[in-house]
Amino acid sequence: MSIDQPALANDQGVRNRFSRFFYAEEVPYGLAIVRILMPLALLVPMLARWSLARELYSTDGAPTPLWFNYGWYNMLPLFSGGVVVALHTLLIFFLFSSAVGWKTRFSLPAATLLFVYLNLCDSVSTITKYSVIAAHIMLLLSLSHSGGIWSVDAWLKKRKQLRAGENTAAATLPRFAIWPQRLMQLMIGIVYFGAAITKMHTPEFFSGEQMQTWLLTNVNYNNPIGEYLSLYPASMVFMAYISIVWEVLFLFLVWRGWGRTVMIAMGTMFHLATCLVLGLYVFPMVCISIYFAFIDERTALKFGAWFSTVRDKMGWQSKSVPAAVSAAAPEAGGRFRLPSPIVYCLMMLGVTVVGVEVEHRLDRYGVRRPEGPYALKEITDTNLIARMLAAPQPMRTKDMFDTFELGTGFVGGLLLDRRDEYRQGEMIAAQVGLNVPHHDMWLECNLFDSRGNQLDRVGQVVSRETTRANFYYSLNEILDPGEYFFVLKSGGQEVMRKRIVLKANIKPPVAN
Amino acid sequence: MKRWLTHLVITGYLGILGYGVVSHAVNYKVSAHPAMYFIVWDMFCGWSSHASRLQLVGETVGQDGEPGKFYELGPGPWGEVKPYGAIGRRHYDAFCLFAPKMAMNCLKHTKHEPMRRIYVVEQCWPKKYNLPDRVYNRRHGEEKDQHIYHHVRYVLNGEGDVLKRQGYWLNYQNAICISNNPRLIADSRKGRLFYNVSPMKNRASRSAFHEPSKDAGEAPAESWAGGKSAN
């Protein structure tokens, strides 16, 4: 029974509603999808790191334990290269078996434990907040009956029933209390709420500066769209407000009806945008996987009925794979059939041994090559060495400035309608973006004509925390149409200049 | 019994998540334990207008009075770990806690002459130069004129013992800005303690205001700007 059902609405009393909220029983369709998708999402980063495990997580490499960052230097043990490779191989096996739902009640907690441990061992290049969110979900999946359907376990159970001569066609799907699913839903809502608090702590988020710098930060995967978007900084402010409103509302509106549809749709768009704009790949996979926890039994049945209709209309006549396999199962294996737990243990052992052996042969450090260990690469550029080891130099004045742009007004503190052609009588706004740190400075934005004559001088003190300074000019009719330059100066030294073309006012003069 | 256990799991789990949110909101003990990393949702909490990278360099012992040679200790000659894109793993060490360890790991698995010094060098530049040329020209209307600033963060001996440690390049630049204020510096010199009992005496936060070192060869600007600080 889902929370959308009328029975819940008629219930009286907080305790009853609480009980229904957490203990209503449903077929775990949503949980099963999360159980399939989440381990697959985690396999993306963890498979990529498997051949690097020795270097990233073991005492045979350069592990960077998270507990060191917090000053807890002996919190967990670090293992040797071989042990870590075995653990990492086991993690891959457990993630895969969790996704297919094989020995789910063991695979999920084992995968969770190993995933958390290995992530903790590498604070620099493995653990991120998506790892933490995924760890929470894996923990909650471990406590759930997510392997009850759409899993090898369910298929094996059905096969056993077939062998015993039971009529499986009439059997109903198992139903379980939905509290693990509810905790998952609450967890992702709380994550967004916490993220909103972070943004509230960061004033630069609302002025668009933080997002602007993140678009230019090349620490994630390629983000060419983000770099292009940096040409339109005002859009950052707009997106900043939308995202924080969505993050705050998610926890409260996601539970039913249109609220759920809108929140999930916005969330999906938000995460896809982080992929395109910031170059995040695994984070969206993890978060979008969790959204399937919001599929309750009623929604799943609705989708199922819709899919059946589409299938009938399209004339698809395929027998589902689980049904086909189940039907063939009683004859499979013959007399050499082994019990599933033994096959599981043998597979676990076999995969681990093969993994350790393959990694040994890959020889990450090249120490077993015929020519011996690698030699270091010499740096022959003596100028580079001299620059690297010289005493640090003060920052160039021009590096204290980010942008110098001209437009006609501001929105959200950012320049709007940037252009280089104006008409007489228009107001012109100049905005200077500054990089912090910079010293307290006197800034001038001076107007020059095309012959280099200074026509006007406007200045202001800019204190060291300031990231933006604005200047205003009225392009009145004292100025003839033609070419002009706005020159930004700091300490009397020219930093940047912008050229504009002033055109005659086309409006006829007012007669009075 | 099972129902009560479930009650306990639900309330316990939500209680822990709630503690994380409140702790984060009021900034209370957010760094008290590594477990806090699992319940504090501070994604994208920081920003900097400058990009930063770390270079690891080893200097060998020169023979017969000859200067030593310099070698790249990061990435290792076996190949670079690029965890999230185009840049190597060492560049993600935001607090520069593990870069010396990475350099020592490189030495551990390679054949090389004895090392006299190992340097961890920070490279910085304004992030505006990260834009592709075409986008940069459109935004700024000029050609890129990128200058990379270098700043030695660690000096270690061949065995990996730390000989010198300095704060971030940005802290150094910030300290320069502060040290331009003579009144502030004069104020900071007042009320000097006779006894030094502070266990935090080497922290970077103090470095901008401590007395310039009298060590030979150290420029005053460097010492004022946190040149000797431990971060």
Side-chain angles (χ1 to χ4, degrees), chain A residues 25-36:
Chain A
E25 292 195 344
E26 287 190 10
V27 178
Y29 292 111
L31 280 178
I33 300 174
V34 179
R35 189 213 72 228
I36 293 165

Side-chain angles (χ1 to χ4, degrees), chain A residues 184-468:
Chain A
M184 247 177 236
Q185 296 165 345
L186 285 164
M187 200 281 296
I188 190 71
I190 289 170
V191 168
Y192 289 141
F193 195 77
I197 290 173
T198 305
K199 291 174 176 70
M200 290 171 197
H201 286 175
T202 316
E204 293 84 3
F205 176 77
F206 297 97
S207 61
E209 277 150 336
Q210 190 194 32
M211 279 301 295
Q212 181 80 3
T213 49
W214 271 107
L215 295 179
L216 309 180
T217 303
N218 294 336
V219 295
N220 299 318
Y221 293 98
N222 282 345
N223 61 332
I225 295 176
E227 289 168 341
Y228 184 76
L229 202 62
S230 69
L231 292 173
Y232 306 97
S235 64
M236 296 296 107
V237 179
F238 181 67
M239 279 158 53
Y241 279 97
I242 288 192
S243 66
I244 199 165
V245 169
W246 164 72
E247 283 178 341
V248 171
L249 291 181
F250 188 93
L251 185 59
F252 305 101
L253 296 185
V254 76
W255 302 105
R256 61 172 71 202
W258 281 105
R260 175 186 301 186
T261 309
V262 171
M263 289 296 112
I264 298 284
M266 283 182 75
T268 307
M269 284 191 289
F270 172 81
H271 286 295
L272 290 178
T274 61
C275 175
L276 297 172
V277 172
L278 295 177
L280 302 174
Y281 291 173
V282 183
F283 210 124
M285 283 189 232
V286 165
C287 289
I288 292 173
S289 301
I290 301 170
Y291 288 167
F292 288 93
F294 288 95
I295 293 182
D296 55 24
E297 187 178 330
R298 191 181 175 197
T299 314
L301 291 176
K302 228 189 260 181
F303 269 110
W306 174 79
F307 182 72
S308 298
T309 311
V310 172
R311 192 179 58 187
D312 292 345
K313 276 187 182 170
M314 302 299 283
W316 296 335
Q317 292 295 327
S318 63
K319 194 175 180 181
S320 71
V321 175
V325 175
S326 295
E331 291 78 35
R335 59 182 175 159
F336 299 108
R337 191 184 301 129
L338 283 170
S340 172
I342 293 179
V343 176
Y344 183 84
C345 290
L346 288 175
M347 282 279 283
M348 195 166 69
L349 194 67
V351 167
T352 309
V353 170
V354 170
V356 171
E357 179 61 22
V358 169
E359 196 276 344
H360 179 77
R361 284 171 189 267
L362 284 173
D363 191 14
R364 172 73 185 152
Y365 296 127
V367 289
R368 288 182 292 280
R369 300 184 314 156
E371 59 270 41
Y374 289 103
L376 290 174
K377 186 180 167 192
E378 188 178 350
I379 305 171
T380 51
D381 185 347
T382 50
N383 288 331
L384 175 65
I385 290 292
R387 285 199 303 275
M388 278 184 174
L389 304 183
Q393 301 300 310
M395 203 187 301
R396 296 187 304 180
T397 304
K398 67 185 305 180
D399 287 339
M400 296 177 189
F401 292 87
D402 184 26
T403 52
F404 177 46
E405 293 169 312
L406 308 176
T408 54
F410 298 97
V411 59
L414 285 159
L415 199 65
L416 193 69
D417 188 24
R418 278 176 288 160
R419 53 189 156 111
D420 51 15
E421 277 191 13
Y422 297 85
R423 291 202 175 272
Q424 285 174 323
E426 274 190 305
M427 187 69 121
I428 191 165
Q431 184 164 66
V432 182
L434 294 114
N435 292 326
V436 282
H438 59 79
H439 49 72
D440 298 334
M441 56 175 79
W442 170 255
L443 267 191
E444 287 178 16
C445 184
N446 299 337
L447 180 64
F448 287 79
D449 65 16
S450 56
R451 288 169 295 178
N453 299 317
Q454 185 170 336
L455 306 179
D456 200 358
R457 175 176 180 264
V458 182
Q460 61 177 279
V461 172
V462 176
S463 61
R464 67 182 59 132
E465 305 85 4
T466 309
T467 53
R468 280 180 202 145

Side-chain angles (χ1 to χ4, degrees), chain A residues 73-127:
Chain A
Y73 298 106
N74 298 308
M75 196 181 91
L76 290 173
L78 288 167
F79 297 109
S80 64
V83 174
V84 162
V85 172
L87 292 177
H88 200 126
T89 311
L90 278 171
L91 170 63
I92 302 293
F93 174 79
F94 290 138
L95 285 174
F96 180 76
S97 48
S98 299
V100 299
W102 191 21
K103 296 289 158 209
T104 321
R105 299 313 294 264
F106 178 75
S107 299
L108 276 169
T112 308
L113 200 68
L114 289 177
F115 179 74
V116 170
Y117 172 72
L118 291 178
N119 271 269
L120 279 171
C121 288
D122 185 22
S123 63
V124 166
S125 56
T126 304
I127 199 166

Side-chain angles (χ1 to χ4, degrees), chain B residues 130-219:
Chain B
N130 284 351
L131 282 173
D133 290 348
R134 193 171 52 85
V135 182
Y136 184 90
N137 289 342
R138 198 166 150 189
R139 179 87 202 264
H140 298 280
E142 61 183 19
E143 296 295 313
K144 278 187 192 174
D145 176 24
Q146 184 175 357
H147 176 77
I148 297 176
Y149 297 91
H150 295 90
H151 180 59
V152 177
R153 293 291 306 274
Y154 281 91
V155 181
L156 302 100
N157 65 16
E159 282 71 50
D161 303 318
V162 177
L163 302 177
K164 186 177 181 182
R165 191 163 47 172
Q166 302 193 121
Y168 297 95
W169 176 81
L170 279 174
N171 285 358
Y172 166 78
Q173 294 297 338
N174 199 36
I176 289 179
C177 300
I178 293 169
S179 63
N180 276 345
N181 185 336
R183 183 193 54 75
L184 197 62
I185 298 301
D187 286 353
S188 76
R189 289 185 188 172
K190 291 175 185 168
R192 193 172 296 276
L193 287 172
F194 186 77
Y195 294 105
N196 191 350
V197 293
S198 169
M200 305 292 279
K201 65 187 174 65
N202 289 323
R203 299 295 293 185
S205 57
R206 184 179 173 275
S207 61
F209 297 101
H210 80 275
E211 192 76 30
S213 167
K214 299 291 186 290
D215 293 350
E218 186 181 47

